[in-house]
Amino acid sequence: MKGNELFNLQELLSRQKLLICFSGPFSHSVIEELGKAVRNHLENERIEKSAIMDVFSVYVEQAQNVRNYTTSRETLGRPIPANSGIVVIGKEDDHYVVSSGNLVEADDVPGLSAMLEKLRGLDKAGLKAVYKEQSRKPREAGASGAGLGLIDMARKATRPLEYSLRAVDDAYYFFSLEVQL
Amino acid sequence: MEKLRIEASSCSPLIDFDPAAGLLRIDGESYPENSFDFYAPVFSWLEEYLKDPAPAVVLDIGLSYLNTSSIKCMIDVLEMLDGAHQKGRTVSVRWHYDSDNDRALDMAEEFAEDVSLPFEILAH
């Protein structure tokens, strides 16, 4: 990348008050190392331990969701083109905001948006009820997660989950998710 | 029955189950690459053990962080123990948490809600 483009990119990142940004293929070791960096950074900010754990856990859920989705498409023999996702952690006023973006198959869009709309319409008690219901369901064979990640993020968030789904081509959408803590 | 011991890693907890003493320990943080793969040997060990456990079984949990798929695994572990409790076995849980970390307390309380076995939550 040319020097002035790199400058522009960093300008954009710092205007958004981003603390950490990762874009590229997610491996488990990337998720782990970046997680350590996030925690070290927040520990130096001298914020409460519970707030550090909230940011860290939302980051882990988002990064593992991106990774698990990518891995599941590979298993199905339909690898996602340009195997990459993005996770960013920023600060808006007094709130930390954890966001992620990745490509999803067009067929998964209706289910994903229905789930997010449902969660957006629930209050804390409703979210807890959905969480308990999901956590008691038997695990699906071959599933890499328990279907609890989005619900857990919605419970930790201080405002409803924000998301967008933008068509990239006939087969893929770019899914972005923003969680404010 | 053999002991079950899995050393802790940076993203998976120590598992230390002593069948004769009835002392089961899970300690650390849990967000492995695949939680279901990680906990599979724990499930199969417990399934076998709970057929004929020690007179008194205590599970000591010191988990400071679990991702959601590990939470699901821990619910399944607690349900197995709760099943043994309901069949009249003496089984209890002691959940240890760091008093600086409110989230760990919230989490412990949610786990305790779903089981009927004796469940102590201890601050350190």
Coordinates of all heavy atoms in Angstrom, one line a residue, chain A residues 18 20 51 56 62 91 120 139 174:
Chain A
L18 N -11.0 4.1 17.0 CA -10.8 2.6 17.1 C -9.6 2.3 17.9 O -8.5 2.9 17.7 CB -10.7 2.0 15.7 CG -11.9 2.1 14.8 CD1 -11.7 1.3 13.5 CD2 -13.2 1.7 15.6
I20 N -8.7 -1.1 18.3 CA -8.1 -2.3 17.7 C -8.9 -2.6 16.5 O -10.1 -2.5 16.5 CB -8.0 -3.5 18.7 CG1 -6.8 -3.3 19.6 CG2 -8.0 -4.8 18.0 CD1 -6.7 -4.3 20.7
A51 N -16.4 -4.6 33.1 CA -16.5 -3.9 31.8 C -15.4 -4.5 30.9 O -15.7 -4.7 29.7 CB -16.2 -2.4 32.0
F56 N -14.3 -8.1 26.1 CA -13.6 -9.3 25.7 C -14.6 -10.3 25.3 O -14.4 -11.0 24.2 CB -12.7 -9.8 26.9 CG -12.0 -11.0 26.6 CD1 -11.0 -11.0 25.6 CD2 -12.4 -12.2 27.1 CE1 -10.3 -12.2 25.3 CE2 -11.7 -13.4 26.8 CZ -10.7 -13.4 25.9
Q62 N -18.1 -12.5 18.6 CA -18.1 -12.1 17.2 C -17.0 -12.8 16.4 O -17.3 -13.3 15.3 CB -17.9 -10.6 17.2 CG -19.1 -9.8 17.7 CD -19.0 -8.3 17.3 OE1 -18.0 -7.8 16.8 NE2 -20.1 -7.6 17.6
K91 N -14.4 3.3 20.8 CA -15.0 3.9 21.9 C -15.8 5.1 21.5 O -15.3 5.9 20.7 CB -13.9 4.4 22.9 CG -14.4 4.5 24.3 CD -13.3 4.8 25.3 CE -14.0 4.9 26.7 NZ -13.0 5.3 27.7
R120 N -33.9 -7.6 18.8 CA -34.0 -6.2 18.9 C -35.3 -5.8 19.6 O -35.4 -4.7 20.2 CB -33.9 -5.5 17.6 CG -32.4 -5.4 17.0 CD -32.4 -5.0 15.6 NE -33.2 -3.8 15.3 CZ -32.7 -2.5 15.5 NH1 -31.5 -2.4 16.0 NH2 -33.4 -1.5 15.3
R139 N -27.7 -30.1 21.7 CA -26.8 -29.6 20.7 C -27.1 -30.2 19.4 O -27.4 -31.4 19.3 CB -25.4 -29.9 21.1 CG -24.8 -29.0 22.0 CD -23.3 -29.3 22.1 NE -22.9 -30.7 22.2 CZ -22.8 -31.3 23.4 NH1 -22.9 -30.6 24.5 NH2 -22.5 -32.5 23.5
F174 N -22.8 -8.8 2.6 CA -21.9 -8.4 3.7 C -22.7 -8.1 4.9 O -23.6 -7.2 4.9 CB -21.1 -7.1 3.3 CG -20.0 -6.8 4.3 CD1 -18.8 -7.5 4.4 CD2 -20.2 -5.7 5.2 CE1 -17.9 -7.2 5.4 CE2 -19.3 -5.4 6.2 CZ -18.1 -6.1 6.3

